[in-house]
Amino acid sequence: MPVTLYQMSIVPFIRGLENLSHILKKGSNAKSTIPPSQLLSARLHPDMKGLAYQVQRVSDTAKGAAVRVAGLDPVAMADTETTFEELQERITQTLKILKRVKEEDMEGQEDQEVVMKTMSGERKFTATDYLLEYAVPNFYFHVVAAYAILRKEGVDVGKMDYLIGGRELL
């Protein structure tokens, strides 16, 4: 049986957000000499955005895919999070949005046109190409950036935190 749009996006987005939540909990509980506000603004490189931004982009990418492909109503979230608790709440709200998507909401949408409006103009995709070429890679880019920032700052996170979060390995 072929992989569905739902299976290639919503299912891994939910797991990725749950794993990111676990990673952030480790960050907020870290016995670090770095104050939480500094940890939340930490960057991998001066030309990259900080931890809070990375979490916001993970959220926006996942809920944007649900809107563009599954037809959910857009849910605006102001990018005002400045604490670990606020980032956890954003993840919780994003998970609630994704869990409203039903597999059948995405059935037959493979060739539906998806238009992304950016500061540099419009980009058109089919729903399949949008998920495979933009949404899924962008989602993982920002999850990995958040993980790497915390790791760089000395938080005790490892590969299994990224892969399975707080779940038991099967």
Side-chain angles (χ1 to χ4, degrees), residues 16-17 19-27 39-44 48-59 84 87 91 138-155 157-158 161-162:
L17 282 158
N19 293 357
L20 181 57
S21 175
H22 169 78
I23 291 165
L24 289 176
K25 283 177 191 162
K26 286 188 122 180
L39 193 58
L40 288 163
S41 63
R43 303 165 182 242
L44 288 176
M48 290 181 75
K49 303 284 186 177
L51 178 63
Y53 176 89
Q54 303 304 327
V55 175
Q56 292 160 352
R57 296 301 69 80
V58 169
S59 166
F84 280 102
L87 290 173
I91 289 172
N138 192 59
F139 176 87
Y140 283 115
F141 173 86
H142 291 289
V143 172
V144 170
Y147 164 86
I149 288 168
L150 289 172
R151 176 98 180 182
K152 174 184 99 38
E153 295 298 323
V155 175
V157 292
D161 295 304
Y162 171 78

Side-chain angles (χ1 to χ4, degrees), residues 15 160 164 167-170:
R15 175 163 287 198
M160 288 294 115
I164 65 169
R167 292 181 300 279
E168 292 293 320
L169 187 60
L170 300 177

Side-chain angles (χ1 to χ4, degrees), residues 5-15 62 65-66 98 101 106:
L5 296 178
Y6 180 87
Q7 292 167 328
M8 76 170 69
S9 60
I10 302 302
V11 171
F13 288 167
I14 289 171
R15 175 163 287 198
L98 295 179
V101 178
M106 300 177 92

Side-chain angles (χ1 to χ4, degrees), residues 6 10-11 13-18 21 58-60 62-64 66-67 70 72-75 77 85 87-102 105 139:
Y6 180 87
I10 302 302
V11 171
F13 288 167
I14 289 171
R15 175 163 287 198
L17 282 158
E18 289 170 345
S21 175
V58 169
S59 166
D60 286 347
K63 65 188 179 73
V67 168
L72 291 187
D73 290 331
V75 177
M77 293 183 183
E85 293 79 14
L87 290 173
Q88 289 288 3
E89 179 59 25
R90 184 174 180 131
I91 289 172
T92 298
Q93 293 308 313
T94 305
L95 284 166
K96 286 180 182 176
I97 292 165
L98 295 179
K99 289 177 179 178
R100 288 193 340 241
V101 178
K102 305 285 186 275
D105 295 339
F139 176 87

